[in-house]
Amino acid sequence: MSLPELFVAPAERFLPARGARIATGAQVVDVELADDRLTGLRLADGSRIDCDAAISTLPPWSLTTLLDRGVLGAHEFFDPARKIDPAPISSVYVWLDRPLRMIRLAENLRDITIEWVFDTSGMHDGDHRNGYCCSLAVSASWDVVHLPGSEFVGRALESLHQHYPEARSAQVLRTEVIHQPQATFSASPGFESLRLSQTTPVPGLFLAGDWTRTDLPSTIESAAESARRAVAAVEGYLARAHRSGHTAVPGESAGGLKPVAAARRTRRKPIEPPETPPVSRADLRNSPRYELRGRWALQYGRDRAPIALRRGSLAGPRSVSFAGPPFRRLVEFR
């Protein structure tokens, strides 16, 4: 099953079945405000969409374009988005006449052009009549993103032949190159302070995207978490606005606005484990289990495979303490 079949098609069925309308090819050029509160969206064709709340899922570099030509540019809250640079990801899909002898569905290669090899054959429900497909990917691919497709394919196959000897005698049935110049954000040191929260200072306007503040790196999990936080913020905002008389009565005017929350949800507070005793930064640098990357700590397992990102705080001039479960946050030492 492909990613569009897995994520897009179900959403296209789910949303209209619940009263939503999907509009494609509609470019938003500005937001409409009244008393500094969001009242609508202005489109490139001159039309307007009236709304009580909106969630922008634009990446930061697209949001910057909206800031430069609209009313949101006057809000300092959005300024950090201007400092976020995109990073490219390049991939080549290769169909072979035989499978690779991979141990895992995703394997990391070192000191070579290709960084990751993904076995994507399982996405075709076991149908190998068109060959066995694998995806060869390069993150932060500044060195290859501008290469001609044939040259990139050549380098990718060279990486494949070096690490998978069986690929040398395999027949390449076809290839497909995908360059994404703005695939994700460039997480440079200090990036965490640039990530914006889902709630903006403009009442009714919210943000979502893996680049927003989610305590996670640039992953699909981060995007989903941002959506969860944004929806929760919208629900709270509309409930408060309705009580104060700022929005239409649910089910009546404004396009038949429907209640967004039928009942109050009980949210459990996550249980945080106690802090560990302070660890010397010098010990961390010399430990085979940890690697300090600027102000981040990467924890390794016994086989030197990365197993966790740890959040830490300075416990003294030369020591660090860790708290919280692994993979929960990616936070600078404070």
Side-chain angles (χ1 to χ4, degrees), residues 27-31 42-44 58 62-74 82:
Q27 181 185 4
V28 175
V29 295
D30 204 357
V31 300
R42 184 155 51 86
L43 305 184
L58 293 173
S62 297
L63 178 61
T64 297
T65 302
L66 194 64
L67 298 176
D68 290 340
R69 65 189 181 192
V71 297
L72 295 179
R82 303 178 185 274

Side-chain angles (χ1 to χ4, degrees), residues 90-98 100 109 112-117 132-138 144 147-177:
S90 296
S91 303
V92 54
Y93 288 83
V94 179
W95 282 262
L96 303 174
D97 65 347
R98 68 197 67 180
L100 298 176
L109 309 185
I112 204 165
T113 300
I114 294 300
E115 296 176 349
W116 287 97
V117 178
Y132 294 83
C133 181
C134 59
S135 172
L136 315 180
V138 186
V144 300
L147 290 179
S150 58
E151 184 175 350
F152 180 44
V153 169
R155 292 195 186 186
L157 292 178
E158 182 181 344
S159 301
L160 205 62
H161 295 166
Q162 181 171 334
H163 287 271
Y164 301 92
E166 65 275 15
R168 300 170 190 168
S169 56
Q171 180 184 357
V172 178
L173 303 178
R174 68 186 180 101
T175 61
E176 182 175 345
V177 173

Side-chain angles (χ1 to χ4, degrees), residues 275-281 284 310-316 319-323 333:
E275 290 194 1
T276 58
V279 182
S280 165
R281 291 178 71 89
L284 284 176
R310 302 303 301 267
R311 68 182 176 101
S313 58
L314 291 178
S319 60
V320 174
S321 62
F322 294 105
F333 293 157

Side-chain angles (χ1 to χ4, degrees), residues 167-319:
R168 300 170 190 168
S169 56
Q171 180 184 357
V172 178
L173 303 178
R174 68 186 180 101
T175 61
E176 182 175 345
V177 173
I178 299 178
H179 290 300
Q180 298 171 285
Q182 297 178 326
T184 183
F185 53 75
S186 181
S188 56
F191 169 77
E192 193 70 19
S193 64
L194 302 179
R195 303 177 80 170
L196 303 181
S197 65
Q198 287 72 36
T199 301
T200 77
V202 179
L205 180 62
F206 302 86
L207 303 177
D210 63 356
W211 66 276
T212 60
R213 191 171 301 159
T214 64
D215 303 326
L216 295 169
S218 177
T219 58
I220 195 170
E221 291 82 3
S222 179
E225 173 63 14
S226 76
R228 186 193 67 80
R229 296 186 185 192
V231 168
V234 169
E235 288 179 342
Y237 169 76
L238 291 180
R240 293 189 300 272
H242 173 57
R243 288 194 297 268
S244 63
H246 284 296
T247 63
V249 176
E252 294 186 0
S253 57
L257 181 66
K258 297 181 179 179
V260 293
R264 185 177 298 275
R265 297 177 180 178
T266 302
R267 300 187 182 277
R268 297 182 179 179
K269 184 178 181 181
I271 300 176
E272 295 280 357
E275 290 194 1
T276 58
V279 182
S280 165
R281 291 178 71 89
D283 290 343
L284 284 176
R285 291 191 185 94
N286 297 328
S287 171
R289 294 196 60 199
Y290 290 94
E291 179 181 344
L292 288 181
R293 295 187 174 182
R295 289 179 288 182
W296 316 113
L298 184 62
Q299 184 179 0
Y300 290 89
R302 292 183 178 179
D303 58 353
R304 285 293 293 170
I307 59 173
L309 286 166
R310 302 303 301 267
R311 68 182 176 101
S313 58
L314 291 178
R318 298 183 179 85
S319 60

Side-chain angles (χ1 to χ4, degrees), residues 54-134:
I55 300 175
S56 169
T57 59
L58 293 173
W61 36 91
S62 297
L63 178 61
T64 297
T65 302
L66 194 64
L67 298 176
D68 290 340
R69 65 189 181 192
V71 297
L72 295 179
H75 291 268
E76 294 182 356
F77 169 84
F78 299 100
D79 287 349
R82 303 178 185 274
K83 303 177 183 178
I84 300 177
D85 295 320
I89 294 178
S90 296
S91 303
V92 54
Y93 288 83
V94 179
W95 282 262
L96 303 174
D97 65 347
R98 68 197 67 180
L100 298 176
R101 295 171 187 163
M102 298 177 62
I103 300 176
R104 299 176 177 87
L105 292 177
E107 296 183 351
N108 180 231
L109 309 185
R110 300 293 179 90
D111 303 322
I112 204 165
T113 300
I114 294 300
E115 296 176 349
W116 287 97
V117 178
F118 300 93
D119 181 2
T120 59
S121 295
M123 298 173 66
H124 304 286
D125 298 324
D127 185 358
H128 303 302
R129 288 175 294 180
N130 295 321
Y132 294 83
C133 181
C134 59

